[in-house]
């Protein structure tokens, strides 16, 4: 499906995204006011727009870093063991670390990344995800900050892709059911 041929229907519009990101930033700022130093670790590429909006509303000092994992290629690909293709550039030991994801689907990626980050001896470790698909969860993962629980559909936009397309849509749209 070529991007130009289709504008995916809206699941979460821009105003709802903005409102929820503001709420998440307020909650995180309150929780980390006395927990410093704070390091946010974003999961590329899908998180880049959410993270940019979130961090600009944080009122607590923080540093930013990123990891990248390869796990999906499109809706027709089953989830596999996520592969780390970019690691953080900074030492996380003694820092309060908040992993920031675009979406938790089966939970495998977040679960692996939380394990990996825990080995870096952070002072604390939590997780924030803009989206979560509760029907698809196959791992026990605690997501400390969730933007929206969504149904089992493939979502795009606001950073999320289908075969590297649609990331720049300003809203979260949907294009198909998730692979089973
Ligand atoms: P999990 O390991 O199954 O939880 O999958 C997490 C990763 O799969 C996310 O970080 C996304 O990169 C990708 N993913 C899962 N569902 C979607 C979706 O609906 N749209 C776009 N990417 C998705
Ligand atoms: Mg992701």
């Amino acid at each position: 499906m070529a991007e130009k041929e289709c504008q995916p229907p809206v699941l979460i519009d821009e105003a709802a995204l903005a409102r929820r990101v503001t709420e998440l930033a307020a909650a995180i700022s309150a929780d980390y006011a006395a927990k410093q130093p704070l390091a946010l670790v974003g999961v590329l590429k899908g998180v880049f727009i959410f993270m940019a909006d979130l961090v600009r509303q944080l009122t607590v000092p923080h540093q930013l870093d990123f990891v990248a994992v390869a796990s999906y290629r499109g809706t027709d690909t089953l989830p596999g063991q996520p592969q780390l293709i970019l690691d953080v550039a900074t030492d996380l030991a003694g820092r309060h670390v908040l992993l920031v994801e675009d979406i938790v689907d089966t939970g495998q990626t977040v679960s692996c990344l939380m394990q990996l980050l825990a080995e870096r001896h952070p002072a604390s470790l939590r997780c924030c995800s803009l989206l979560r698909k509760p029907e698809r969860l196959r791992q026990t993962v605690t997501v400390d900050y969730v933007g929206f629980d969504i149904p089992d559909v493939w979502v795009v936009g606001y950073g999320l892709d289908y075969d590297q397309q649609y990331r720049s849509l300003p809203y979260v749209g949907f294009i198909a059911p998730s692979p089973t």
Side-chain angles (χ1 to χ4, degrees), residues 43-44 46-47 101-103:
V43 186
L44 295 173
V47 84
E101 252 287 26
D102 53 355
I103 185 163

Side-chain angles (χ1 to χ4, degrees), residues 43-47 69 71-72 100-104 109-110 113 129 159-161 167:
V43 186
L44 295 173
K45 302 176 196 167
V47 84
V69 290
S71 50
Y72 280 88
V100 187
E101 252 287 26
D102 53 355
I103 185 163
V104 175
T109 305
V110 159
L113 287 173
S129 182
L160 291 103
D161 76 307
R167 289 195 195 276

